[in-house]
Amino acid sequence: MISIIIILLAVFFAWKEGYLSKSGSIAAFFVGIGIQFGFHYQGFILLGVFFLTSSLLSKFKKDKKTKMEDMHEKGSTRDYMQVIANGGAAAIVSLLYGWNGEHGLIVLFAVLLAAANSDTWASEIGPLSRNKPFSIRTFKKAEAGTSGAMSVTGTFAGIMGSLLIGLCAFMLFPISIGEFLLIFVFGFIGNLIDTILGAFVQAEYKCTVCGAKVEKRIHHDRKAKKIKGFTVLNNDAVNILSGVIAALLASFFVL
């Protein structure tokens, strides 16, 4: 009962501060309950580390990210799909762990959060770099915030984001040094997979009014023209896929 109250208070605070929309708050509550069921307070703390750091980074130097946010389908306030994309698979793994207690599921749970944290840190810090990133699809410089683009600053941020979750998991759960390294490495691999999917299969559109390349179907109140990828693969879908693929790759070593 106490854990449910804590989750409710955390979700309410996140909604009041603008980190979550109403739909995102509801989704976050159920994700929190699912994670608490299997991993108890340890899982909730690890989820909290991801959510708190990623939310604070989304607000960090937000004025410099205005142009980037205009490119993206959604802003820094997370809706239910963004919450599910970043925490849904982790909640499912937690439920499985609560059911059978398989030790390897602890590592997969942490890999999923490490991948989400790595991608978020890279996405939030990378655009603040003084130099433009380069697209891994065209090998040309791209606008900051472009899916499938990488920068030294963003890559380093992604490494640190995965490392943080790995270290926290090592302190919270009975895992070995080798398992900590798996979490760290495959968390960052999830970020790289996200970049690859973003570059080659994620939907990208061109505004028919201003000509800008965006991730939104509608821009300047006009339907944008799809120029790359699959319509169903928006940023949320790519986030889900990258985390799940990283966890599946890690499962060959832990299950």
Side-chain angles (χ1 to χ4, degrees):
M1 186 65 183
I2 295 177
S3 60
I4 294 177
I5 294 174
I6 293 173
I7 293 171
L8 277 172
L9 289 174
V11 168
F12 178 76
F13 173 78
W15 171 64
K16 289 293 289 185
E17 292 298 315
Y19 297 123
L20 292 172
S21 66
K22 288 184 179 180
S23 67
S25 301
I26 295 172
F29 173 76
F30 285 106
V31 167
I33 291 295
I35 288 175
Q36 195 278 334
F37 173 80
F39 293 117
H40 309 299
Y41 75 90
Q42 297 99 322
F44 187 66
I45 290 174
L46 198 62
L47 176 67
V49 170
F50 157 66
F51 178 76
L52 181 61
T53 59
S54 61
S55 296
L56 291 175
L57 285 175
S58 69
K59 304 295 183 182
F60 179 65
K61 294 188 177 181
K62 189 176 180 180
D63 56 318
K64 293 186 177 182
K65 303 176 187 176
T66 303
K67 186 176 180 180
M68 182 187 78
E69 289 193 359
D70 185 57
M71 295 169 57
H72 291 176
E73 187 177 8
K74 300 170 183 178
S76 58
T77 301
R78 290 169 171 78
D79 64 11
Y80 75 98
M81 275 306 302
Q82 288 169 295
V83 171
I84 293 172
N86 288 309
I92 291 173
V93 170
S94 180
L95 291 172
L96 289 174
Y97 180 79
W99 175 52
N100 66 13
E102 171 63 48
H103 177 80
L105 292 173
I106 298 174
V107 179
L108 300 189
F109 168 75
V111 166
L112 286 163
L113 291 183
N117 206 49
S118 180
D119 175 59
T120 302
W121 279 38
S123 299
E124 296 294 344
I125 297 177
L128 300 177
S129 172
R130 294 180 181 180
N131 300 316
K132 285 188 174 183
F134 75 94
S135 169
I136 65 170
R137 181 170 62 90
T138 64
F139 293 101
K140 296 179 180 179
K141 289 188 175 181
E143 291 296 325
T146 300
S147 293
M150 297 180 67
S151 68
V152 174
T153 302
T155 301
F156 179 73
I159 291 172
M160 297 307 294
S162 183
L163 178 62
L164 175 65
I165 296 297
L167 288 172
C168 289
F170 183 70
M171 291 186 289
L172 289 166
F173 295 102
I175 60 176
S176 66
I177 292 291
E179 289 169 329
F180 152 70
L181 291 175
L182 280 175
I183 294 166
F184 167 51
V185 171
F186 282 97
F188 181 63
I189 286 175
N191 179 23
L192 296 179
I193 293 171
D194 187 280
T195 302
I196 294 170
L197 293 177
F200 294 99
V201 299
Q202 182 175 336
E204 185 177 60
Y205 304 86
K206 186 173 183 179
C207 179
T208 57
V209 177
C210 67
K213 293 180 180 180
V214 296
E215 296 179 3
K216 302 176 180 180
R217 296 186 187 185
I218 304 296
H219 199 248
H220 287 123
D221 297 322
R222 297 283 184 86
K223 186 176 181 180
K225 180 181 179 181
K226 185 164 72 70
I227 57 174
K228 177 181 71 70
F230 302 91
T231 303
V232 68
L233 291 178
N234 60 7
N235 188 63
D236 292 332
V238 167
N239 285 343
I240 293 172
L241 280 175
S242 60
V244 170
I245 292 172
L248 287 174
L249 292 174
S251 70
F252 288 104
F253 295 89
V254 298
L255 293 182

